[in-house]
Amino acid sequence: MLPEHLRSQLFPEQETQHTESPRPTIMDLIHANQVQTMVSRTAAAQFAHTHGLNLIDFNVVQSVISLGQDDATATPGYIARQLSLSASTLTSILERLVRAGYLIRERDSADRRRISIYHTDRSAKLMADFYRHLATQYEAAFENTDDTQVQSHIGFISDLTNANSRVVTEFEKSGENLRSATQGRAALSDQPQAAGGAASQSQAAS
């Protein structure tokens, strides 16, 4: 559940303006989903590290291999949008993963400007291994749940995925994602300098 101190921090203005608060159970659902997402990300990162990859590398491989048979072939543009990566950042990641044998990059014979990205047997084995680790814990968590109930859970998660996808679309339409990314990079680039300066001053004082 959403901790009470966090609830008051997120919506302090609603207490004074008497505006309608989001439904408490929905806020609890959002919080639980975000916590689950963070733990899942940590599990993926730890698994990726055991294979000499970082989390972004792993996410790129996963975005390619997760495409269904009826989906279009993965392209750099598709991957960049899925993971909110810049073209330059993704290019270096793809080069690294191609060299390591996790992905194949080919130019379309009909349109040389189009690049298609495919997974390999190595990346398929990587993802199968990750799924097996998850399956052990999921089987334990849902030991007393029949397949019909599991399918119900899958539908519920799909609804959450669709809701999150609509949030992505809203940000893309507004352009706030681009402005925020630029501002965020500028702010982060300033922080190490400030921290370094403070550290230097501290050392000098001692």
Side-chain angles (χ1 to χ4, degrees):
M1 293 181 62
L2 182 67
E4 190 57 40
H5 76 275
L6 184 55
R7 191 187 304 275
S8 61
Q9 289 174 5
L10 290 175
F11 307 104
E13 71 284 353
Q14 293 176 339
E15 297 178 0
T16 58
Q17 297 177 2
H18 304 290
T19 55
E20 183 179 355
S21 298
R23 197 180 348 160
T25 51
I26 291 297
M27 299 312 301
D28 291 340
L29 172 60
I30 292 172
H31 182 66
N33 188 39
Q34 291 301 303
V35 170
Q36 189 270 342
T37 298
M38 288 188 289
V39 175
S40 295
R41 186 184 299 119
T42 301
Q46 295 289 351
F47 174 80
H49 293 163
T50 66
H51 291 270
L53 302 173
N54 60 41
L55 180 58
I56 297 180
D57 292 338
F58 183 78
N59 287 341
V60 169
V61 172
Q62 191 171 39
S63 70
V64 174
I65 203 169
S66 295
L67 279 172
Q69 293 182 348
D70 296 331
D71 294 319
T73 302
T75 63
Y78 166 83
I79 299 170
R81 181 178 181 273
Q82 287 292 107
L83 302 179
S84 192
L85 295 173
S86 68
S88 58
T89 297
L90 180 59
T91 296
S92 62
I93 294 172
L94 289 176
E95 290 176 350
R96 182 165 62 246
L97 292 173
V98 168
R99 286 197 303 269
Y102 286 107
L103 296 177
I104 296 172
R105 181 173 49 187
E106 295 182 351
R107 289 194 178 275
D108 193 312
S109 58
D111 183 355
R112 301 296 295 174
R113 295 170 299 178
R114 177 183 172 86
I115 297 176
S116 297
I117 310 296
Y118 303 94
H119 72 271
T120 64
D121 289 342
R122 185 179 188 186
S123 56
K125 291 178 181 177
L126 176 78
M127 202 58 56
D129 188 22
F130 181 57
Y131 274 38
R132 276 192 288 269
H133 281 283
L134 293 177
T136 300
Q137 299 304 323
Y138 278 42
E139 287 282 9
F142 293 94
E143 182 179 4
N144 298 319
T145 306
D146 62 32
D147 287 348
T148 299
Q149 291 173 308
V150 172
Q151 287 296 333
S152 178
H153 286 303
I154 293 172
F156 179 74
I157 293 173
S158 295
D159 289 340
L160 292 180
T161 300
N162 292 334
N164 288 325
S165 295
R166 290 193 293 272
V167 173
V168 172
T169 301
E170 288 176 359
F171 277 121
E172 288 178 338
K173 288 181 177 178
S174 68
E176 287 296 330
N177 58 328
L178 300 178
R179 287 192 288 273
S180 297
T182 302
Q183 294 166 359
R185 284 193 293 270
L188 288 173
S189 65
D190 291 340
Q191 286 181 2
Q193 296 175 359
S200 299
Q201 291 175 5
S202 176
Q203 292 174 355
S206 61

